[in-house]
Amino acid sequence: MAGRPRMKDVAAAAGVSVMTVSRVVNGEAGVAPRTAARVEAAVRKLGYQRDDVARQLRRTD
């Protein structure tokens, strides 16, 4: 992996879907605690940081 890690990189490392990573990163319900822990460990290991600028561009009001 070159450059900044993306959600799909975290998903692959944790063995989950990108949607599951999104739910964990955004603090949404519906993710089992053990799964969330795997995602959080992958986030720390890879140094993933949410891109709030990109998030604002995708957001619709």
Side-chain angles (χ1 to χ4, degrees):
M1 169 183 53
R4 184 178 179 149
R6 298 176 296 175
M7 270 196 192
K8 75 180 207 174
D9 301 318
V10 174
V16 299
S17 71
V18 172
M19 191 68 209
T20 299
V21 174
S22 177
R23 286 184 180 120
V24 172
V25 168
N26 292 309
E28 297 176 14
V31 180
R34 292 178 88 179
T35 303
R38 278 200 336 259
V39 171
E40 290 164 357
V43 164
R44 285 190 303 274
K45 179 181 177 185
L46 297 175
Y48 173 79
Q49 294 181 342
R50 185 171 68 186
D51 186 343
D52 289 326
V53 173
R55 183 177 180 182
Q56 289 299 320
L57 290 173
R58 291 184 57 100
R59 195 172 225 174
T60 58
D61 290 325

